[in-house]
Amino acid sequence: MLLPLAFPAYASIQDISGPQINVIESDFNSEHTTSFVSWRTENGLHHTAAGSSKGSINVFSFYPTNAPRSDSRARLTVTPPSEHNPPTAPSSSPSHSRRHSRSLQSPSSLSFNQALINVSARARVVSGVSREQVEAPKNYVDFEDEPGRLKDILRSNSKHKRTLADSILPNFDRGVVIEQSPAPASPPLLPTLPNSPSGVSSTSKNKDDLRSLLSATNSPTFPPGSLSAPPSPRQLSPHFDGSPSRGTVKSSIILDPCGPGHAASAMRYIEAVNLLVVLQESGNLSAFDMRDSTCVATCECMTMRSYQDQFWKWEAIRIVSTVDNTYHILACASPSQPPFAETFGLADEPRDSKARLNMFELSVGDPHGVHPTRFERLASDVWQVNGPATGVELLVDTDGSFQLMYINSTSYLVTRCLTIIPAYEIRARGRSFTSSPTHSQEDHRSLAIPNPFKAFGSKSAESVALLGQNNNSGTEQESISPTIATSNLGRVRLEEEESLGIVISSPEVSLEGITARYGGMNERIIGLAWSNTDITGFTVGEQEGSLTTFPVPFRSRGRIQGVHFTDDEAFVVLSDNISHYCLRRVDADNNTATTSSGTSIIAQAIQTTTISGGSSLMLSWSRSSPHDVLALRQLRSGQKEILVHTFNPRQDVSTKQQRRIMWRAQSPSSGTIPGGATLTSVLPVELNCVLLGYSDGHIRQTSLPCLLQRRNHVRPPPLSAFSPISGSDVLFDKVSDMSLPSSILNMHLVRNDRTGERFILGGTDDGGIAIWTLESLKLHARFTPFIVPLTRVAQVLQSNDTAGPLRGSLLCVSGDGTVAVVSIDGFEMLYLIPGASSPIARIYVGGDDNNRAILIYADGSARVWDVESGEFLRAMTEEKAKELVDAGGWINISLDKSELTSISISMLSGSAGPVSLCTLLLSLDRFLKYTSVNVKSSGLVLSSSSAPSNATLSQLRAVLSALLTPGLSPDIDEICENRLGTSPSPSTVGFASAHAATIYHHDHPVYAWSMSAKVSADRVLAIVSVLRTLSLAEELSHDCQTVITFYATSLTHVVGASYQAPDVAYLATQWFDSSNDVRQAAKTLFDAGIVRLSDEESIALVDAWQHHLPCLQPSMEKESAKSSLALFICGYMAADKYSLLSTSSLIDISKSIALYLHDESSAHRGLAIDLCARGFQIWQHYVDAMAMLRALYTLATNTRKETISAQNIGPQARLAVLQIASSNTPLFMTTLTLDILNPKTLDQRKAVMQLVAFMIRKRPLILYPNLPRLMEAVVKSLDPNSTASRDAVLDSATEIIGYVVKTFPTVDFHMATQRLAVGTSEGAFIMYDLKTATQLYVLEGHKRRPTACTFSPDGRRLVTMSLEEGVVLVWKVGSSFTSFFNPGAPPRQGHGGSLPFKTLNFNVGDEANMTIAGTLEWVKFEWPAERTVRLYIRESVLTFST
């Protein structure tokens, strides 16, 4: 389980007098935005996602324009930016605060007496604000305080001034209502909008609330020239400073991989399922759930990435919806230069106008997690079209058929019918082909390849790809014509091409995009194609080849960023001018025509609305908000802002724009921080040693606790390299002694294997290399051998004798492939091997004289060098180099292997800017395993500062501080801060998935629990896991349990209706995938989760999972992760709520448990054992209960080495046996005695008897009522007539008898005579002879339950006692002459009848009143002489003569 931990306070260090820098905003300002998408959710909130050139995505959420942001932080009466239920918080006093205070008026963890806010869902969604009258914060501008000039403008009826106010006021779209407050009436300022709710005009709703509308937090600033009429907004009011108050950065997504060459080149939002599909230029396709910005699916557009052939840049995606929750995605790539082209100075050669395509099926998962969201790749790598990637479109008709449409290199519009072949048909074809090798490719039963493919024969990559046997070389693949009439590409089948005609008449025009749809203007297809400045429309009729084009009048200084259809007869164009068009059918005289007209009919685009948007980096339009266009701009100061432009297509063309600033960065770009240094590299060595490289050339050392917690210290001095304290809120342990003149871009840990000393090798942005000692951060050496920065470091050990002159050296590889060889002893530059035209892939050293080096490059070339002389020997291909290496005498120098650093914390792969650099991945499993050992070994000396665990506790407290969400409960906050030692943390916690890390930015604790059930589960699991480890310290145990209880059970009451309860399926998954420390916490939370579920939710969950139970799956799927997860969820649900489940469900669950339990090779026997212990009383009705118990007996006592596994299920099985024995004693004892008396094998009998010994030690009271049956079975197992059986169980039987005699006072054994006396609950004592394994006789003298018995030292007397009767009986049990004549009868007691030899009464008062457990502890006999016995009852001592 990985936890992304962000520490933004260390992103930059600066003088205390400098401005506060927001690392998120600063990073966003400096990065190049490559994609921008927006959408609007059902609750009326706007959202945007901005992808960068380095592979990061920032997600923004925007409050409704009437929601005061200050109130949202302090009181949470504002709907937060969430796509589901908005967070609510406990009610609080009406006083408002500008800054968030931790002492919230919220219910405590122990009592929930205070009333929660009870606001209807409709009120929260529509209004977004409380109806409570409150005092406005001071930074809200009061209308009465506005300058007189502004009053005149707003109260004027002139058209010019009305339009200006109209531009300033926010647009009131549907779902946005501003609360009215008493204010003087004003004349109407805005026209009635058709989208106003309930048909009420915006004027009537908002004319009374101008005071709040014109506040500083609501009033955006527009750049000069954006308004057509003076005066400018700057002249209107000094309060119009453009400071937006509605937007917030919700999260930052860091893709994996990230960095140069992995830009987020295209993004599309799927409104119906709230998914964001992201395409990286390197070919990674990912889907993100925008409720919590987590990655839910990912795949590759190409099966392999090679630099030998044409490099492809994936830059466009098309998405169409087919059946429910299934989407087909077409990814398009253009020929491009590799990301290192600029580094190597490769010329930007003219590229062919062709595109590579691939198609995917996106299946959206179900809400219960049974079928996760996933991509399925449908096409092979060889699919190409002769045209640009931007000119490809995918359409789906109402009947579900696909149409591929593209504009080829000759500007012709080409269409091809596309069919998706079912997966089962592909598998069937493959079996048909492989089962009959004599089949020809013309056999329609194996491959439906038409005649056009005959010329290619077996070399056809497209036909071979159908069978998944694509072994052709890249050259052969390129030779295939991209316009073959009919072809199969994996599961994609393309029909014949249909060339319809020329769309763009100017060959010099570069096509930028195409969009089309079915059914427009009553034609079969209507579409639009555009370049940077021109747009051409086209229609395709029902008749073959009936293509008609029409011009679209458009003028703009900027390039066209997108064209979108709003419906069948309207579209919007995004550029500097945002224009809305409607389509109509006209005849030759430009009159509106109908289909019945006999004249020629053409389509005509009429511009209805145009607004000036100004210069923008990116523009985005979404179908969910068709009248809004969101724009991303960058100001001259370098700060970026997001605006929304609102247009009404029903209004006149000359209508002025309505726009408002949604968000603006307040911090400068990351490279423009005055008087400071920015973080440029991170190297986590261990938990208490994290190295940070900065742009000022210094390395600074800190620790994980310092990164995650603020340290209280005095006001620091100005920024100084030699001071351990630098910055306003940052404390470092060490700082390097000398400053380098350039930034430190990367650091590597190396070790001298001869001395054991460790060093830091760093690369700088000027191509330099520097080496520091790890212990003191003292600079040892510095070189500048490269033109481009260092990228990788490999170490050749001294012990490697075959490395020749490279022994004991460091191979430093730069970005251009240059290799600098540095000696680790003395740090001298030894050799320099020049670079090539692409990066190095592998290095081999050796050869005949161990003086050669083979460098294999990413483009498939290889070079052989003489290391000592630096002489270039020869060049060859990669294949030839491999042949040379296979001949022997060469060793591989791994470029990816470095000195092992911390196993608990690691960096994100690649670098996407300061956000990724300020994020470390904490492996929670390894971290807790390490810290728990230290805490356990520390004992009770935790309060001592010199205790070994003091640093461990600091680490646990730091991680816990970052995970906790203070502000929910004052009581819990007090416990955490004053008793557990946590403190408010400036760090943030994210969510890590397989291919992305998401960092959340929220300013209120409620938001952390209001995103999604999965994120809530991940966070609470981490909290409980850390608290469980911290509770190993005895003095903290009670407080840790209190906090665990709060976060596991009380959040639903504290957070309110917006609380997203932890996902039980996610917790179950973590139980399988995590270490023991985390899985115990996952089990605790899972149990709490299923208790919280309602009956309907419980039934729905089981119904969704029960079809995947192991007993219902084929043999190959019984051990699958889904089957075991289904048993986990359904099994524990049935154990707690079995009455809700049907009989068939209970049967399937019981059979699945038995299946895993009896399968010796199963990896999930531990799960089956735990479920047996949890619900055995349920399963016993549906399966063979005795067989289940016998399996547990075997697992509990098996000690064979071959049966011991990593699961260590022996202790778990023993605990299960104890629990079953306590809850179902009769069945347990019956099975136990039967297996002792009639075992299938001797090993089984031995195992059962070992189990009996275990039970006697652990749970003696369970066996007490059944001692007679048990001892009878043990005695019979010693039958001398069965020598082999007796020898096998003798040791176990002897052990059992010894434990029984030692534990139970009612059983005694005399060694010399081999007699065993066993008391029964009816008052009788049974005498056994272990020599013959027979019962001798029964002594019946007590009327009530006996308490104890004992043999005299000579074995001739047996003394029995009953506390309930208050009597001691003495029996003669020695052998006599008469016993030979009356076998089975007790010996004569010296008088007639069966009365005991002596009867002695006693009375000890209240001391005789004790439980059975008390008798085992407080009653015992002692023989001071052969005929004198002493009886101890608690403190009483009685002596009797026998």
Side-chain angles (χ1 to χ4, degrees):
M1 180 179 177
L2 294 177
L3 284 178
L5 300 174
F7 43 95
Y10 285 77
S12 62
I13 51 179
Q14 58 191 108
D15 289 338
I16 189 66
S17 58
Q20 186 68 27
I21 302 299
N22 186 314
V23 63
I24 308 299
E25 295 182 355
S26 178
D27 185 23
F28 183 62
N29 288 334
S30 60
E31 66 187 7
H32 173 58
T33 304
T34 54
S35 54
F36 185 66
V37 66
S38 65
W39 65 95
R40 187 174 183 174
T41 50
E42 294 179 355
N43 56 5
L45 298 181
H46 281 287
H47 306 268
T48 64
S52 76
S53 59
K54 294 184 179 180
S56 64
I57 302 172
N58 285 308
V59 181
F60 296 80
S61 293
F62 305 103
Y63 297 95
T65 56
N66 57 338
R69 188 183 180 189
S70 59
D71 295 352
S72 70
R73 295 189 177 186
R75 295 291 175 248
L76 270 188
T77 57
V78 179
T79 305
S82 175
E83 288 74 7
H84 41 72
N85 294 334
T88 59
S91 60
S92 57
S93 61
S95 61
H96 287 232
S97 173
R98 289 297 298 165
R99 295 186 60 84
H100 164 60
S101 173
R102 293 187 62 254
S103 59
L104 288 176
Q105 301 296 323
S106 54
S108 70
S109 62
L110 305 177
S111 62
F112 304 98
N113 307 0
Q114 303 178 20
L116 300 177
I117 290 179
N118 186 14
V119 182
S120 66
R122 173 65 180 170
R124 287 195 301 268
V125 172
V126 175
S127 66
V129 294
S130 170
R131 304 295 297 182
E132 184 180 13
Q133 296 295 328
V134 297
E135 181 183 354
K138 291 183 179 180
N139 68 335
Y140 278 20
V141 180
D142 198 328
F143 182 78
E144 299 298 329
D145 295 335
E146 290 288 332
R149 181 181 177 83
L150 178 59
K151 294 181 182 180
D152 294 338
I153 291 175
L154 295 179
R155 293 173 178 173
S156 173
N157 291 325
S158 66
K159 179 178 178 181
H160 165 70
K161 296 181 179 179
R162 180 187 61 80
T163 304
L164 181 59
D166 188 22
S167 302
I168 297 173
L169 292 178
N171 171 61
F172 298 98
D173 207 343
R174 57 189 178 189
V176 180
V177 180
I178 299 252
E179 181 183 7
Q180 299 181 9
S181 60
S186 298
L189 296 178
L190 294 174
T192 302
L193 297 182
N195 291 334
S196 298
S198 305
V200 181
S201 69
S202 298
T203 302
S204 62
K205 290 188 177 185
N206 307 306
K207 64 182 180 180
D208 294 333
D209 200 20
L210 296 179
R211 178 172 55 187
S212 62
L213 293 177
L214 297 177
S215 62
T217 55
N218 279 334
S219 304
T221 294
F222 301 100
S226 63
L227 298 177
S228 59
S232 67
R234 189 174 303 171
Q235 294 174 315
L236 293 178
S237 170
H239 298 285
F240 284 171
D241 59 354
S243 302
S245 61
R246 298 295 176 257
T248 179
V249 184
K250 176 183 176 182
S251 59
S252 297
I253 302 173
I254 303 171
L255 302 174
D256 184 15
C258 62
H262 300 286
S265 54
M267 296 189 295
R268 292 292 184 273
Y269 175 73
I270 306 178
E271 179 182 356
V273 290
N274 203 8
L275 289 181
L276 180 68
V277 179
V278 179
L279 177 66
Q280 292 180 263
E281 65 178 37
S282 56
N284 295 310
L285 185 66
S286 304
F288 291 85
D289 186 346
M290 295 318 293
R291 294 176 302 171
D292 52 20
S293 304
T294 58
C295 182
V296 294
T298 187
C299 65
E300 294 283 343
C301 291
M302 298 178 64
T303 54
M304 60 180 296
R305 187 82 181 271
S306 175
Y307 299 113
Q308 300 181 31
D309 306 314
Q310 177 65 62
F311 187 86
W312 296 91
K313 177 182 177 181
W314 296 87
E315 58 185 2
I317 51 178
R318 304 286 185 263
I319 301 178
V320 295
S321 174
T322 51
V323 297
D324 291 342
N325 288 338
T326 302
Y327 298 85
H328 284 84
I329 302 173
L330 183 69
C332 312
S334 296
S336 176
Q337 295 289 355
F340 52 81
E342 184 178 355
T343 301
F344 291 95
L346 300 180
D348 190 8
E349 301 175 356
R351 302 192 298 266
D352 295 334
S353 179
K354 58 184 178 181
R356 172 162 285 184
L357 309 180
N358 212 322
M359 196 166 183
F360 304 87
E361 184 177 83
L362 173 61
S363 301
V364 181
D366 64 291
H368 300 290
V370 179
H371 303 285
T373 301
R374 65 184 182 90
F375 285 108
E376 182 178 357
R377 194 161 175 251
L378 302 179
S380 61
D381 285 341
V382 298
W383 188 8
Q384 294 182 22
V385 296
N386 186 16
T390 55
V392 182
E393 179 67 296
L394 181 66
L395 302 177
V396 59
D397 206 346
T398 54
D399 60 357
S401 60
F402 295 97
Q403 187 88 5
L404 178 66
M405 174 182 294
Y406 63 92
I407 299 176
N408 63 17
S409 57
T410 59
S411 300
Y412 273 78
L413 181 66
V414 180
T415 61
R416 301 186 74 174
C417 292
L418 186 150
T419 305
I420 305 299
I421 304 174
Y424 66 84
E425 185 176 338
I426 293 292
R427 291 192 294 266
R429 291 182 179 184
R431 288 193 298 268
S432 175
F433 183 81
T434 56
S435 62
S436 180
T438 60
H439 283 181
S440 69
Q441 292 187 355
E442 298 176 5
D443 189 352
H444 68 278
R445 291 170 297 177
S446 58
L447 286 175
I449 305 297
N451 289 336
F453 274 98
K454 286 185 176 180
F456 297 98
S458 61
K459 294 293 185 179
S460 172
E462 294 186 339
S463 61
V464 177
L466 178 63
L467 302 175
Q469 301 173 354
N470 186 6
N471 297 321
N472 293 342
S473 66
T475 305
E476 292 171 337
Q477 294 177 9
E478 294 291 341
S479 66
I480 300 174
S481 171
T483 58
I484 294 175
T486 306
S487 60
N488 291 320
L489 304 162
R491 289 182 55 194
V492 174
R493 176 188 296 158
L494 294 174
E495 303 300 333
E496 294 184 2
E497 290 184 353
E498 182 181 359
S499 181
L500 303 179
I502 295 178
V503 175
I504 300 178
S505 57
S506 301
E508 67 277 2
V509 173
S510 175
L511 182 66
E512 292 296 322
I514 182 176
T515 182
R517 63 186 296 152
Y518 274 106
M521 298 291 294
N522 297 322
E523 301 285 351
R524 188 166 68 95
I525 297 175
I526 185 168
L528 300 162
W530 66 92
S531 63
N532 280 330
T533 56
D534 299 317
I535 306 173
T536 301
F538 60 88
T539 60
V540 179
E542 294 291 343
Q543 298 179 358
E544 183 176 354
S546 59
L547 174 69
T548 304
T549 62
F550 58 92
V552 177
F554 178 78
R555 286 185 179 181
S556 178
R557 295 181 180 178
R559 68 180 184 90
I560 299 175
Q561 298 194 28
V563 179
H564 305 275
F565 278 103
T566 59
D567 53 42
D568 286 346
E569 299 182 358
F571 62 92
V572 62
V573 179
L574 307 183
S575 182
D576 286 358
N577 293 329
I578 301 170
S579 301
H580 184 272
Y581 295 81
C582 68
L583 298 170
R584 68 170 183 170
R585 302 168 62 88
V586 297
D587 55 21
D589 297 328
N590 204 26
N591 297 321
T592 303
T594 62
T595 55
S596 60
S597 302
T599 58
S600 175
I601 300 175
I602 61 173
Q604 184 183 56
I606 301 176
Q607 186 175 2
T608 60
T609 305
T610 297
I611 61 175
S612 175
S615 178
S616 300
L617 297 176
M618 291 280 176
L619 293 168
S620 175
W621 174 90
S622 68
R623 196 166 301 279
S624 57
S625 183
H627 302 310
D628 293 327
V629 174
L630 273 77
L632 174 66
R633 299 195 313 180
Q634 190 156 23
L635 306 178
R636 294 180 179 179
S637 61
Q639 297 168 318
K640 289 182 179 179
E641 65 179 10
I642 298 175
L643 305 92
V644 59
H645 301 275
T646 301
F647 63 91
N648 188 351
R650 299 184 181 182
Q651 292 180 350
D652 187 78
V653 176
S654 62
T655 299
K656 297 301 180 181
Q657 61 205 14
Q658 300 173 25
R659 67 177 180 180
R660 62 182 182 273
I661 297 178
M662 308 290 283
W663 177 87
R664 177 183 290 176
Q666 302 300 315
S667 298
S669 300
S670 58
T672 60
I673 299 176
T678 57
L679 183 66
T680 53
S681 60
V682 179
L683 179 63
V685 179
E686 51 193 44
L687 292 174
N688 284 328
C689 180
V690 179
L691 300 178
L692 308 177
Y694 284 88
S695 59
D696 62 353
H698 277 288
I699 291 180
R700 294 170 171 85
Q701 178 181 326
T702 183
S703 62
L704 182 66
C706 291
L707 290 175
L708 301 182
Q709 286 182 301
R710 286 190 178 97
R711 286 197 181 180
N712 298 323
H713 51 271
V714 297
R715 182 182 179 91
L719 183 63
S720 170
F722 300 97
S723 172
I725 299 177
S726 297
S728 61
D729 199 25
V730 176
L731 180 63
F732 299 103
D733 298 326
K734 297 177 185 176
V735 180
S736 57
D737 58 342
M738 296 181 63
S739 173
L740 302 182
S742 51
S743 302
I744 302 172
L745 295 186
N746 52 66
M747 294 181 288
H748 307 267
L749 182 64
V750 296
R751 177 177 173 270
N752 189 327
D753 59 328
R754 184 178 58 83
T755 63
E757 191 175 4
R758 294 187 294 177
F759 299 91
I760 303 300
L761 190 149
T764 57
D765 60 357
D766 61 354
I769 299 174
I771 301 174
W772 298 265
T773 57
L774 177 62
E775 185 67 26
S776 61
L777 296 185
K778 180 181 179 181
L779 183 64
H780 272 265
R782 182 173 180 268
F783 316 97
T784 309
F786 303 135
I787 300 176
V788 296
L790 174 77
T791 57
R792 293 186 287 181
V793 174
Q795 183 174 359
V796 184
L797 300 179
Q798 289 275 5
S799 57
N800 199 335
D801 297 332
T802 59
L806 297 181
R807 286 179 57 192
S809 63
L810 301 172
L811 305 184
C812 305
V813 184
S814 71
D816 62 358
T818 304
V819 181
V821 182
V822 179
S823 172
I824 200 169
D825 285 327
F827 302 111
E828 297 180 358
M829 176 74 72
L830 301 179
Y831 318 107
L832 189 67
I833 302 176
S837 59
S838 67
I840 291 180
R842 289 180 297 278
I843 297 178
Y844 295 91
V845 296
D848 297 335
D849 54 357
N850 293 333
N851 193 32
R852 301 285 190 269
I854 298 179
L855 276 62
I856 299 179
Y857 298 91
D859 61 357
S861 63
R863 295 180 179 181
V864 182
W865 293 84
D866 185 288
V867 176
E868 289 186 339
S869 65
E871 179 184 359
F872 170 69
L873 300 180
R874 59 174 171 153
M876 60 182 68
T877 63
E878 183 179 0
E879 289 73 18
K880 293 295 183 181
K882 289 182 178 179
E883 293 179 4
L884 184 62
V885 170
D886 293 340
W890 299 86
I891 62 172
N892 182 18
I893 304 299
S894 175
L895 293 174
D896 299 322
K897 182 179 179 181
S898 60
E899 178 71 18
L900 183 64
T901 56
S902 174
I903 61 175
S904 299
I905 50 176
S906 59
M907 298 177 294
L908 296 172
S909 62
S911 173
V915 177
S916 62
L917 287 174
C918 293
T919 303
L920 292 177
L921 291 177
L922 175 69
S923 174
L924 192 62
D925 301 272
R926 295 175 178 176
F927 173 72
L928 295 181
K929 182 179 179 180
Y930 163 76
T931 53
S932 61
V933 171
N934 290 345
V935 174
K936 289 177 183 177
S937 62
S938 64
L940 299 177
V941 292
L942 299 180
S943 58
S944 173
S945 60
S946 61
S949 66
N950 191 55
T952 301
L953 289 178
S954 298
Q955 295 161 4
L956 285 169
R957 285 166 173 153
V959 174
L960 184 61
S961 298
L963 291 169
L964 294 175
T965 53
L968 295 176
S969 168
D971 296 337
I972 294 299
D973 293 346
E974 181 182 0
I975 291 175
C976 293
E977 293 186 21
N978 298 335
R979 302 181 189 177
L980 298 183
T982 65
S983 60
S985 175
S987 58
T988 58
V989 180
F991 184 92
S993 54
H995 297 278
T998 305
I999 307 299
Y1000 300 108
H1001 316 293
H1002 50 78
D1003 53 5
H1004 198 283
V1006 169
Y1007 284 72
W1009 305 105
S1010 304
M1011 285 180 284
S1012 71
K1014 181 171 60 177
V1015 173
S1016 295
D1018 189 73
R1019 191 178 192 116
V1020 74
L1021 177 59
I1023 290 175
V1024 174
S1025 300
V1026 174
L1027 283 169
R1028 285 176 60 91
T1029 304
L1030 197 60
S1031 67
L1032 296 175
E1034 293 184 9
E1035 60 203 52
L1036 305 177
S1037 177
H1038 176 72
D1039 295 322
C1040 287
Q1041 292 300 324
T1042 301
V1043 181
I1044 288 175
T1045 303
F1046 171 78
Y1047 278 96
T1049 62
S1050 302
L1051 287 178
T1052 182
H1053 304 287
V1054 175
V1055 176
S1058 65
Y1059 177 58
Q1060 295 293 308
D1063 183 5
V1064 293
Y1066 179 83
L1067 294 172
T1069 303
Q1070 292 300 318
W1071 187 88
F1072 285 95
D1073 298 340
S1074 303
S1075 64
N1076 188 56
D1077 297 301
V1078 178
R1079 72 188 309 182
Q1080 288 180 6
K1083 186 61 175 57
T1084 301
L1085 293 170
F1086 180 87
D1087 292 339
I1090 60 177
V1091 170
R1092 183 178 54 249
L1093 294 177
S1094 64
D1095 292 349
E1096 293 77 11
E1097 293 172 332
S1098 301
I1099 294 173
L1101 183 63
V1102 174
D1103 288 344
W1105 280 98
Q1106 67 178 355
H1107 304 292
H1108 301 276
L1109 288 169
C1111 70
L1112 303 177
Q1113 308 306 311
S1115 300
M1116 298 297 294
E1117 299 292 331
K1118 293 184 186 297
E1119 288 289 318
S1120 66
K1122 180 177 289 187
S1123 296
S1124 56
L1125 187 59
L1127 180 58
F1128 185 97
I1129 294 174
C1130 297
Y1132 287 111
M1133 184 70 73
D1136 283 357
K1137 301 182 177 182
Y1138 66 91
S1139 61
L1140 299 177
L1141 275 61
S1142 63
T1143 302
S1144 61
S1145 299
L1146 294 174
I1147 291 174
D1148 292 339
I1149 295 171
S1150 303
K1151 289 181 178 179
S1152 299
I1153 295 172
L1155 178 68
Y1156 280 166
L1157 190 63
H1158 296 300
D1159 186 1
E1160 294 184 359
S1161 62
S1162 175
H1164 305 296
R1165 297 183 91 179
L1167 172 61
I1169 292 170
D1170 196 49
L1171 284 172
C1172 285
R1174 184 76 170 264
F1176 183 81
Q1177 68 278 6
I1178 302 172
W1179 326 132
Q1180 66 178 350
H1181 300 294
Y1182 307 103
V1183 292
D1184 188 346
M1186 298 185 72
M1188 189 175 282
L1189 273 175
R1190 290 188 178 104
L1192 289 174
Y1193 295 165
T1194 303
L1195 294 174
T1197 57
N1198 213 332
T1199 57
R1200 292 180 301 168
K1201 291 183 179 181
E1202 60 271 16
T1203 62
I1204 299 176
S1205 64
Q1207 302 178 63
N1208 194 21
I1209 58 178
Q1212 188 180 0
R1214 287 190 284 272
L1215 292 176
V1217 168
L1218 291 177
Q1219 190 164 346
I1220 295 173
S1222 301
S1223 60
N1224 202 330
T1225 305
L1227 178 63
F1228 173 78
M1229 292 305 304
T1230 300
T1231 307
L1232 202 64
T1233 53
L1234 286 176
D1235 286 355
I1236 294 176
L1237 295 174
N1238 302 303
K1240 294 182 178 180
T1241 62
L1242 293 179
D1243 289 339
Q1244 183 181 359
R1245 173 179 282 176
K1246 183 177 180 181
V1248 172
M1249 297 186 73
Q1250 290 176 351
L1251 182 62
V1252 172
F1254 170 75
M1255 292 292 298
I1256 294 170
R1257 295 196 305 269
K1258 298 296 183 180
R1259 299 287 176 83
L1261 293 180
I1262 295 177
L1263 299 179
Y1264 186 85
N1266 301 279
L1267 271 178
R1269 293 175 57 193
L1270 177 63
M1271 299 312 298
E1272 180 183 10
V1274 172
V1275 170
K1276 289 183 178 180
S1277 68
L1278 297 173
D1279 186 0
N1281 296 323
S1282 178
T1283 306
S1285 175
R1286 181 185 177 96
D1287 293 342
V1289 302
L1290 183 60
D1291 292 340
S1292 298
T1294 303
E1295 182 182 10
I1296 289 175
I1297 294 173
Y1299 278 125
V1300 168
V1301 172
K1302 183 178 179 181
T1303 305
F1304 300 101
T1306 55
V1307 180
D1308 199 19
F1309 175 70
H1310 191 263
M1311 179 68 69
T1313 60
Q1314 291 291 295
R1315 298 289 177 88
L1316 179 69
V1318 180
T1320 67
S1321 58
E1322 293 81 9
F1325 279 86
I1326 305 174
M1327 187 69 69
Y1328 294 99
D1329 183 7
L1330 298 189
K1331 294 179 181 178
T1332 59
T1334 58
Q1335 174 182 317
L1336 295 179
Y1337 47 79
V1338 178
L1339 302 175
E1340 298 178 325
H1342 291 286
K1343 303 297 187 295
R1344 295 188 179 182
R1345 178 177 61 85
T1347 305
C1349 69
T1350 180
F1351 281 101
S1352 62
D1354 58 1
R1356 301 182 65 83
R1357 296 286 187 274
L1358 177 67
V1359 178
T1360 65
M1361 182 270 291
S1362 173
L1363 280 177
E1364 295 180 2
E1365 291 182 275
V1367 64
V1368 171
L1369 303 181
V1370 180
W1371 306 84
K1372 290 183 178 181
V1373 293
S1375 300
S1376 63
F1377 180 75
T1378 58
S1379 61
F1380 289 99
F1381 300 98
N1382 191 13
R1388 294 177 60 85
Q1389 303 298 322
H1391 49 73
S1394 59
L1395 297 176
F1397 174 64
K1398 284 186 178 181
T1399 300
L1400 306 171
N1401 297 313
F1402 65 91
N1403 186 359
V1404 293
D1406 293 337
E1407 291 190 352
N1409 298 327
M1410 64 179 70
T1411 62
I1412 295 177
T1415 61
L1416 302 186
E1417 182 179 359
W1418 295 322
V1419 176
K1420 64 179 179 178
F1421 282 106
E1422 185 180 285
W1423 290 87
E1426 284 195 0
R1427 292 293 179 266
T1428 303
V1429 63
R1430 188 173 295 154
L1431 174 62
Y1432 293 89
I1433 305 173
R1434 292 185 190 263
E1435 302 297 329
S1436 301
V1437 180
L1438 306 176
T1439 304
F1440 302 96
S1441 175
T1442 61

